[in-house]
Amino acid sequence: MFKLPPPLKKIVDVLSELPSIGPRQAVRLGFYLVSRGQGHIKNFADALRDLGKIKVCERCFFVHENKGNLCDICADQTRRPDVILIVEKETDLISLEKTGKYKGRYFIIGPISKLGVLDDWQKLRLKNLLSFIERELGGKAEELILGFNPTSLGDVSAKLIMKELAPRAKKMSRLGRGLPTGGEIEFADDETLGSAIDRRS
Amino acid sequence: MFKLPPPLKKIVDVLSELPSIGPRQAVRLGFYLVSRGQGHIKNFADALRDLGKIKVCERCFFVHENKGNLCDICADQTRRPDVILIVEKETDLISLEKTGKYKGRYFIIGPISKLGVLDDWQKLRLKNLLSFIERELGGKAEELILGFNPTSLGDVSAKLIMKELAPRAKKMSRLGRGLPTGGEIEFADDETLGSAIDRRS
């Protein structure tokens, strides 16, 4: 059996542990890094070390570099603390935040498994949210918005979280469904068209 | 416009420079690394630093960790130095070497652009090969095997390299074409079947 030199094998193993990178791609990336030379590799390693400076917000679990324990959004006094949009991923938060439409807070629960159960650290995060609502919002949030994908998995996730949080919110909602802007009726699927009819405005 | 914290932005930039990793995937990988925590990030950075120990063979341009400047294959006195298999990529060399069928040497030219021209460092590598043939093989290799993919791009690459190297080889060849083992005649394309008929044995 052919063997890669151990340092190359090591980086290939590390790369192939990353989500969405397969073993073949990892080997190709390993050779690519070698071919780019020392300067490039050092630059990459330095960038990784600097990543250690990133902190995770103790309230919503988004990233930040602030002195305290809160991210920019949670530390922003002009944003409503009692309207909380729950998302699976940091990238979902970013997409929603880029609209500039939303002036409440967020909460990142993490990707929910296809089994429709929360893992241990998700339970911890949820506990964290519940105690925030208890402590800072007098036991009930004004509104909790479920920002899950409009997919069957997203529906399962929303139901799961809804069950946990319903007693702690005056109002619960999900992001609106309907025709995506720029889309064409002719090419929309039945579910989307059905939602567009139900939620016409 | 929404901004990522600079250390996260930096690693996302480094990741998205890697071949086959797009900007969205780079952002997701960046957040993944943060979520895995310090220990994992340090492990990754250490693996990258160790990659600096990898050397590139001065003769065939494959990787090695030897004291000298030659890789294991080029340093192996039992392998014929005058039969050289030219491949585009390290991973092609590995696939061929795993067969255990080949007892000559290799030469990695690097992926040839779709324009069908060699870039400057490929010209340097080729010059290196020509001077090896001149110096060590008395001006002509016994056989040069072109190990390019059986695709139209591979054909263009083979023609290009053939033109450069033909005066320096007693014999030039390409890897055999025909039915892949385990394949079915019914599902083979015309080109493959044609090759299988032409090269029947």
Side-chain angles (χ1 to χ4, degrees):
Chain A
M1 187 63 185
F2 192 85
K3 279 204 179 70
L4 293 176
L8 185 54
K9 176 76 171 62
K10 177 84 190 296
I11 196 76
V12 167
D13 289 344
V14 170
L15 289 168
S16 57
E17 273 174 30
L18 297 174
S20 75
I21 293 190
R24 267 171 190 278
Q25 190 182 4
V27 173
R28 280 198 300 271
L29 288 173
F31 278 114
Y32 172 80
L33 288 169
V34 172
S35 79
R36 284 297 302 269
Q38 303 282 8
H40 188 260
I41 291 170
K42 191 177 171 304
N43 188 35
F44 194 161
D46 289 347
L48 274 171
R49 302 249 149 150
D50 286 349
L51 208 54
K53 293 177 193 160
I54 296 280
K55 300 201 280 186
V56 171
C57 177
E58 67 168 21
R59 191 164 299 164
C60 76
F61 301 103
F62 193 59
V63 294
H64 70 96
E65 281 193 293
N66 299 329
K67 274 194 188 152
N69 295 320
L70 297 180
C71 71
D72 292 346
I73 295 170
C74 287
D76 184 346
Q77 295 296 332
T78 71
R79 300 182 73 128
R80 297 188 61 157
D82 57 351
V83 176
I84 303 169
L85 204 169
I86 298 156
V87 292
E88 282 194 285
K89 303 187 303 287
E90 291 88 349
T91 43
D92 295 338
L93 181 156
I94 292 173
S95 296
L96 289 160
E97 189 62 13
K98 276 181 177 169
T99 66
K101 285 263 187 182
Y102 179 66
K103 298 298 174 205
R105 306 283 175 87
Y106 294 92
F107 177 78
I108 300 171
I109 184 70
I112 291 172
S113 86
K114 282 171 190 167
L115 301 171
V117 288
L118 298 178
D119 56 31
D120 286 343
W121 64 270
Q122 287 179 314
K123 284 178 191 161
L124 269 177
R125 284 190 175 193
L126 214 51
K127 211 169 149 184
N128 207 303
L129 174 62
L130 289 169
S131 77
F132 169 76
I133 294 172
E134 189 63 43
R135 201 175 60 244
E136 310 271 339
L137 307 179
K140 279 204 181 210
E142 193 58 33
E143 183 176 357
L144 295 178
I145 308 165
L146 299 172
F148 295 103
N149 288 329
T151 59
S152 52
L153 181 58
D155 290 345
V156 169
S157 306
K159 231 172 250 170
L160 182 71
I161 299 296
M162 180 109 55
K163 209 177 65 185
E164 301 278 346
L165 294 181
R168 296 284 161 229
K170 292 181 193 158
K171 186 182 166 190
M172 292 205 77
S173 61
R174 284 192 70 180
L175 294 175
R177 291 196 193 187
L179 292 169
T181 305
E184 294 189 35
I185 292 170
E186 183 179 350
F187 301 120
D189 63 281
D190 289 349
E191 284 268 358
T192 300
L193 277 179
S195 299
I197 295 167
D198 283 347
R199 294 160 207 224
R200 64 192 182 277
S201 61
Chain B
M1 186 61 186
F2 192 86
K3 279 203 181 71
L4 293 176
L8 186 54
K9 175 79 171 61
K10 177 85 190 296
I11 196 76
V12 167
D13 288 345
V14 170
L15 289 169
S16 58
E17 273 175 28
L18 296 175
S20 75
I21 294 189
R24 268 171 189 277
Q25 190 182 5
V27 173
R28 280 198 301 269
L29 288 173
F31 278 113
Y32 172 81
L33 288 169
V34 172
S35 79
R36 285 296 302 267
Q38 303 282 7
H40 189 259
I41 290 170
K42 190 178 172 302
N43 188 35
F44 195 162
D46 289 346
L48 275 172
R49 301 247 151 151
D50 286 348
L51 208 55
K53 293 177 194 160
I54 297 279
K55 300 201 281 186
V56 171
C57 177
E58 67 169 21
R59 191 165 297 165
C60 76
F61 301 103
F62 193 58
V63 294
H64 70 96
E65 281 194 294
N66 300 328
K67 274 195 186 152
N69 295 320
L70 297 181
C71 72
D72 292 346
I73 296 171
C74 287
D76 184 346
Q77 295 295 331
T78 70
R79 300 181 72 128
R80 296 188 61 158
D82 56 351
V83 176
I84 302 169
L85 205 169
I86 298 156
V87 293
E88 280 193 285
K89 304 186 302 286
E90 291 87 350
T91 43
D92 295 339
L93 181 156
I94 292 173
S95 296
L96 290 161
E97 189 61 13
K98 276 180 176 168
T99 66
K101 285 262 187 183
Y102 180 66
K103 298 299 173 203
R105 307 281 175 86
Y106 294 92
F107 177 78
I108 300 170
I109 185 70
I112 292 172
S113 86
K114 282 172 191 166
L115 300 171
V117 287
L118 298 177
D119 56 31
D120 286 343
W121 64 271
Q122 287 178 315
K123 284 178 192 162
L124 269 177
R125 285 191 173 191
L126 214 51
K127 210 169 150 185
N128 208 303
L129 174 61
L130 289 169
S131 77
F132 169 76
I133 294 173
E134 188 64 43
R135 202 176 58 243
E136 310 271 338
L137 306 179
K140 278 203 180 210
E142 193 58 35
E143 184 175 358
L144 295 178
I145 308 164
L146 300 172
F148 295 103
N149 288 329
T151 58
S152 51
L153 181 57
D155 290 344
V156 169
S157 305
K159 230 173 251 171
L160 182 70
I161 299 297
M162 178 108 57
K163 209 177 67 186
E164 300 279 345
L165 294 181
R168 296 282 162 232
K170 292 181 193 158
K171 186 181 165 191
M172 292 206 78
S173 61
R174 285 192 70 179
L175 294 175
R177 291 197 193 185
L179 291 170
T181 304
E184 295 188 34
I185 293 169
E186 184 179 350
F187 301 120
D189 63 280
D190 290 348
E191 284 267 359
T192 300
L193 277 179
S195 300
I197 294 167
D198 285 346
R199 293 161 208 223
R200 64 192 182 277
S201 60

